[in-house]
Amino acid sequence: QVQLVESGGGLVQAGGSLRLSCVASRSIFSSNAMGWYRQAPGKQRELVASITISGGSTAYVDSVKGRFTISRDNAKNTMYLQMNSLKPEDTAVYYCNGLPLLRYWGQGTQVTVSS
């Protein structure tokens, strides 16, 4: 079964850190670049970080550069998003997916950053 399972979200104070994890099928990890997306209430889902198949290159939206780090462990079929210096505007549901997008989404994981 295809799967995208996000975890690691929670409630954190501004300035704090969280590490999100995404577990997917081996076939996904062997053939896809991956990305982390987020969607805040009233806003469109946006790509915040991406990583190539081998993990050799990463990219970030300007608003998270210097604070977030994307990584992947293909042997574990797992992708991570280390989020430091969190801000209230980072509050959103975070999702992982392929680049290009797969036809389905996981449940996402809620990140809430309090002031």
Side-chain angles (χ1 to χ4, degrees), residues 42-97:
K43 294 187 176 182
Q44 292 191 136
R45 194 166 298 181
E46 65 170 339
L47 176 67
V48 297
S50 61
I51 188 166
T52 53
I53 296 172
S54 68
S57 296
T58 59
Y60 303 89
V61 69
D62 286 345
S63 61
V64 308
K65 284 183 178 178
R67 300 188 298 118
F68 290 11
T69 303
I70 188 171
S71 61
R72 66 192 293 167
D73 185 341
N74 288 351
K76 296 181 178 180
N77 304 320
T78 303
M79 179 174 66
Y80 305 95
L81 185 67
Q82 178 66 48
M83 304 185 295
N84 298 325
S85 301
L86 283 162
K87 303 175 180 180
E89 51 262 46
D90 296 318
T91 295
V93 179
Y94 284 71
Y95 303 87
C96 64
N97 213 302

Side-chain angles (χ1 to χ4, degrees), residues 3 5-6 10 13-14 17 19 29-31 54 57 64 76 80 86-87 90 92 94 99-101 104 108 114:
Q3 59 178 300
V5 182
E6 301 93 345
Q13 294 181 359
S17 298
R19 189 179 75 154
F29 267 81
S30 68
S31 60
S54 68
S57 296
V64 308
K76 296 181 178 180
Y80 305 95
L86 283 162
K87 303 175 180 180
D90 296 318
Y94 284 71
L99 268 71
L101 286 173
Y104 49 88
S114 62

